[in-house]
Amino acid sequence: MALKHQPVVIKLCLLTAAMFGFGYALVPLYDVFCDLTGLNGKTSTMAATAEAAIPDEDRQVLIEFIARPNNNMPWVFEPVVHKMRVHPGEIHRIDYLAHNITGRSMTAQAVPSVSPGQAALYFNKMECFCFTQQHLTAGQQLLMPLQFYVDPALPEQFSTITLSYTLYEVDAVAPVTAETATGDNNE
């Protein structure tokens, strides 16, 4: 009777392996999909270059700036300016304030998101603190710059763009010492 079920068991094992492979490939496929369509509000992780765009003086776009630390991130994190009206094509700079209110040094990474998601294709960051990790010692404050422009090709349907940052703590990797490498830590 076991031989009778062998083809079914093989098919179920192959189906399980195929589902696992699809699940494993889903995250990279989703990232590619978001990059192509501009969905999910992801912005580029690379600095944009300012093209010789002529600012559209007849149009203004309201840019809203939001910042929040992750629930487990004990820093003060906020934009210095919360709203700004810009002409598409103009280069602007604002600062975000980060303040490590803990008694220890910490490293953080800001993750941006743009809403509506389709507008992310037209919001270009030339300089951004989100491109690198930020290290602050205990009690240190830092003004972190953001230099950006809105592409003049932004469709007319978008009159407001919201740029939101969430700040996460970056886990420090413990350095390997001779004691930890050999297991001689005497504990």
Side-chain angles (χ1 to χ4, degrees):
M1 192 151 55
L3 291 178
K4 181 167 85 171
H5 297 295
Q6 187 175 12
V8 173
V9 170
I10 290 173
K11 288 179 183 175
L12 288 174
C13 288
L14 289 174
L15 180 63
T16 302
M19 289 187 324
F20 177 78
F22 178 73
Y24 185 76
L26 197 55
V27 172
L29 289 173
Y30 181 73
D31 286 341
V32 168
F33 176 77
C34 289
D35 287 343
L36 292 175
T37 62
L39 295 176
N40 198 21
K42 289 186 175 184
T43 62
S44 176
T45 57
M46 307 263 310
T49 56
E51 299 174 10
I54 299 170
D56 184 353
E57 298 291 335
D58 297 329
R59 183 171 175 209
Q60 283 192 336
V61 178
L62 177 65
I63 308 296
E64 299 174 329
F65 303 100
I66 299 173
R68 68 177 194 86
N70 177 308
N71 293 338
N72 299 325
M73 186 64 180
W75 285 14
V76 173
F77 177 53
E78 60 191 12
V80 173
V81 174
H82 293 274
K83 292 182 180 182
M84 174 186 287
R85 290 205 172 273
V86 303
H87 295 286
E90 288 180 338
I91 297 172
H92 293 275
R93 179 195 158 136
I94 70 158
D95 291 312
Y96 281 73
L97 172 69
H99 182 196
N100 179 356
I101 58 175
T102 70
R104 64 183 172 97
S105 293
M106 295 178 69
T107 302
Q109 178 71 51
V111 177
S113 179
V114 172
S115 180
Q118 296 85 354
L121 296 172
Y122 304 95
F123 190 89
N124 299 290
K125 298 180 302 251
M126 300 169 62
E127 176 184 358
C128 184
F129 57 91
C130 64
F131 295 152
T132 58
Q133 295 178 353
Q134 305 298 320
H135 182 77
L136 272 68
T137 58
Q140 182 182 1
Q141 291 187 35
L142 180 65
L143 283 177
M144 303 181 299
L146 166 66
Q147 187 175 21
F148 69 95
Y149 70 95
V150 176
D151 192 323
L154 177 74
E156 293 286 333
Q157 71 193 49
F158 301 113
S159 59
T160 302
I161 297 175
T162 303
L163 176 63
S164 174
Y165 285 100
T166 303
L167 194 67
Y168 294 92
E169 180 178 3
V170 177
D171 294 328
V173 178
V176 176
T177 63
E179 290 177 346
T180 59
T182 60
D184 296 334
N185 55 7
N186 296 326
E187 290 185 33

